[in-house]
Amino acid sequence: MQAWSIDQKTIGSMVNMMGDPSGAFTDGLDLRMTHEGPPSVGIIGRSKRFALYVDDGEVKHVAVSEGEDDPAGDANPEASCAPAMLEAVKDL
């Protein structure tokens, strides 16, 4: 996560990148990928593609990118990308 933070230039910003190697956080959010999809694309044990807006420890908005034929949200991740998140939280 640190290498990604460096690459994305988020160190020292308001963005915190965190890993979840055991899946405990993902399970707590009920966002574990349960689709039986092909193991070759990393579906097993993976979280859904999501973004959270958290303010002072309170989750204010959750966006999940998934579709019936795209359970990982890989083909259409826009719901959890920055523009959609900014639009979703601008009036909170």
Side-chain angles (χ1 to χ4, degrees):
M1 296 308 296
Q2 184 177 9
W4 192 21
S5 292
I6 291 168
D7 178 71
Q8 297 299 304
K9 300 175 179 55
T10 62
I11 292 179
S13 76
M14 63 188 282
V15 175
N16 294 313
M17 295 189 178
M18 297 175 272
D20 183 26
S22 72
F25 184 72
T26 299
D27 289 341
L29 293 171
D30 195 27
L31 289 172
R32 183 174 293 269
M33 180 78 61
T34 57
H35 191 274
E36 69 279 354
S40 63
V41 296
I43 297 291
I44 298 172
R46 175 179 166 183
S47 71
K48 295 179 182 181
R49 184 180 302 274
F50 70 95
L52 300 175
Y53 175 69
V54 182
D55 184 22
D56 197 24
E58 180 182 349
V59 175
K60 303 277 188 165
H61 182 73
V62 179
V64 181
S65 293
E66 66 180 335
E68 192 170 316
D69 61 343
D70 182 26
D74 292 335
N76 187 14
E78 284 80 16
S80 59
C81 290
M85 288 296 291
L86 291 171
E87 183 65 27
V89 304
K90 71 180 183 181
D91 294 326
L92 294 179

